[in-house]
Amino acid sequence: MSDEKKTIFSGIQPSGCVTIGNYLGALRSWKNLQDDYNCYFCVVDLHALTVKQDPAEMRRRCIELYAEYIACGLDPEKNVMFFQSHVPAHSELSWLLTCISYMGEMSRMTQFKEKSKKAGSNVGLGLLCYPVLMAADILLYNTDLVPVGADQKQHLELSRTLAARFNNAYSDTFKVPEPYIPANGARIMSLTDPTSKMSKSAENPNAYVSILDEPDVIMKKFARAVTDSDNKIVHDAQNKPGVTNLLEIYSACTGEPISSIEDAFAGKGYGDFKKAVGEAVVETTQPIRDRFKTIMQDKAYIEKCYTEGAQKASCTANKTLAKVHRKMGLAPHKL
Ligand code: AMP
Ligand code: TRP
């Protein structure tokens, strides 16, 4: 790894199929940044266990997500690509950071509040501690930049707070990371409820488009996407969230500015527009589907890549962890 380059860390949970939200909000930035940074791309499997998963399905999704990283254009030779659970330093630093975290700040996280509203008093402790594990992921690698979608901004702010708090208490140790949120595609909304985020763990598969959905499925999902009744294609997040979301997806896929899309579709109906959005998504994702099928035929290659990835990640992570042990006053060791 080059010393002059800055470092990137990011991850996705294997909690469902990778959606076009994940792709436009995160994976595409990773692909575009991989040549200019030392990158760590992690399948954050431990985060996915904060809600109950079926073990067989979880195992399948983990491998598929790793293959999807490669299919999206991430190069396992150039980047360090691995599973979070294969580098135990993540869990351990998470505990050490838990010891400097406050109940108040954790229970104020928007995502925790939303999830605990649904779960009531049986909300899992893992959901509360989730952002601490995310901070551990990032801080282990002296990360400069974290490319994520807009929904992760608050969690990233917490990582920055914990890094600064530790440095303050125990002397300078962690780099304080910066977010990288794309200008376009940072918050793709659900196709069935455009006031909430598109999520891969949604119960209704019509709410999201997976990057692996076949073209006819993609076209159908867009044809059914919730819009409104006035048949005008204009960007207006307040009053027309459905159409606004489709405009943003189209713009993120084609690179065309929103205003010129509005001009091009002036006077046309929603039917034509939805078809065009569907086609833009099919075209953007087709190369990913093709590569995914090829990669999944070579499980030995996938295993080799993630094993080497974990070995490389462990080297850096263990050095940081040893430093943290020392600073916090644990007995000296040469492990
Ligand atoms: P997750 O699906 O929660 O594991 O998220 C993985 C990455 O995708 C994170 O960087 C998220 O911010 C990003 N992401 C998830 N959903 C969306 C969405 N609907 N729009 C844009 N980015 C998203
Ligand atoms: N919490 C992130 C999400 O749900 C996933 C994640 C875990 C992550 N650790 C991370 C993202 C570290 C960036 C960096 O989207």
Side-chain angles (χ1 to χ4, degrees):
M1 286 218 146
S2 152
D3 284 340
E4 302 103 68
K5 287 186 182 172
K6 291 195 165 184
T7 299
I8 276 183
F9 184 99
S10 200
I12 298 181
Q13 305 179 59
S15 51
C17 336
V18 169
T19 69
I20 53 167
N22 297 131
Y23 180 69
L24 299 171
L27 276 160
R28 194 166 61 166
S29 311
W30 304 1
K31 182 184 66 171
N32 294 337
L33 295 165
Q34 66 181 334
D35 290 331
D36 299 325
Y37 289 82
N38 287 325
C39 297
Y40 293 85
F41 297 128
C42 187
V43 172
V44 286
D45 47 4
L46 298 174
H47 276 103
L49 295 181
T50 51
V51 293
K52 175 124 183 13
Q53 305 287 349
D54 172 72
E57 205 178 308
M58 172 81 182
R59 200 169 294 122
R60 178 181 59 76
R61 282 214 217 104
C62 284
I63 302 297
E64 284 186 3
L65 179 53
Y66 193 93
E68 283 173 283
Y69 280 11
I70 304 176
C72 283
L74 303 179
D75 182 350
E77 304 280 323
K78 216 182 309 180
N79 308 298
V80 181
M81 291 163 57
F82 64 107
F83 288 98
Q84 186 185 34
S85 62
H86 294 181
V87 181
H90 289 247
S91 308
E92 193 178 340
L93 182 62
S94 178
W95 171 253
L96 299 171
L97 293 176
T98 299
C99 296
I100 63 157
S101 303
Y102 305 132
M103 276 299 287
E105 61 194 352
M106 292 302 146
S107 55
R108 274 195 301 274
M109 292 286 118
T110 308
Q111 190 175 305
F112 173 72
K113 283 200 287 195
E114 277 170 9
K115 295 206 166 159
S116 54
K117 226 185 279 164
K118 275 189 213 143
S121 59
N122 277 337
V123 57
L125 194 49
L127 285 172
L128 181 72
C129 304
Y130 174 115
V132 184
L133 178 58
M134 176 163 163
D137 297 339
I138 296 167
L139 300 182
L140 275 174
Y141 300 96
N142 298 312
T143 302
D144 295 281
L145 205 62
V146 185
V148 281
D151 63 318
Q152 294 302 313
K153 198 160 183 265
Q154 192 183 39
H155 288 158
L156 198 67
E157 198 48 51
L158 187 90
S159 302
R160 290 167 55 82
T161 303
L162 293 181
R165 187 177 301 153
F166 188 98
N167 290 347
N168 217 5
Y170 297 105
S171 83
D172 211 20
T173 307
F174 295 124
K175 207 170 252 181
V176 180
E178 298 287 337
Y180 177 98
I181 296 171
N184 238 340
R187 191 169 169 80
I188 303 295
M189 309 306 274
S190 155
L191 297 188
T192 50
D193 171 13
T195 58
S196 65
K197 190 189 78 162
M198 180 181 286
S199 161
K200 60 169 128 67
S201 49
E203 267 167 37
N204 179 357
N206 288 323
Y208 59 81
V209 174
S210 154
I211 54 171
L212 299 179
D213 277 345
E214 291 299 335
D216 58 323
V217 176
I218 297 179
M219 295 306 290
K220 253 189 232 145
K221 286 184 178 177
F222 279 105
R224 288 196 194 131
V226 168
T227 45
D228 51 48
S229 56
D230 81 352
N231 231 16
K232 289 199 188 75
I233 297 153
V234 287
H235 192 279
D236 176 352
Q238 273 297 320
N239 302 309
K240 296 170 69 68
V243 173
T244 299
N245 187 38
L246 295 180
L247 275 165
E248 290 186 1
I249 294 171
Y250 190 86
S251 168
C253 287
T254 59
E256 247 184 83
I258 302 275
S259 57
S260 68
I261 306 169
E262 286 172 337
D263 292 345
F265 283 92
K268 297 206 175 126
Y270 286 169
D272 288 343
F273 178 53
K274 286 174 166 181
K275 188 159 170 275
V277 181
E279 281 164 358
V281 170
V282 168
E283 198 181 312
T284 304
T285 50
Q286 191 58 50
I288 303 175
R289 277 186 293 281
D290 295 342
R291 274 197 300 265
F292 178 77
K293 284 180 194 142
T294 315
I295 295 156
M296 281 301 281
Q297 278 161 8
D298 194 350
K299 298 274 164 47
Y301 171 70
I302 298 175
E303 189 176 332
K304 172 181 160 285
C305 291
Y306 71 64
T307 305
E308 286 175 8
Q311 284 161 349
K312 286 187 218 154
S314 293
C315 276
T316 313
N318 290 341
K319 277 189 206 142
T320 307
L321 190 61
K323 202 161 149 191
V324 175
H325 280 185
R326 217 167 44 242
K327 298 242 183 168
M328 291 183 96
L330 299 175
H333 60 76
K334 294 206 168 59
L335 299 172

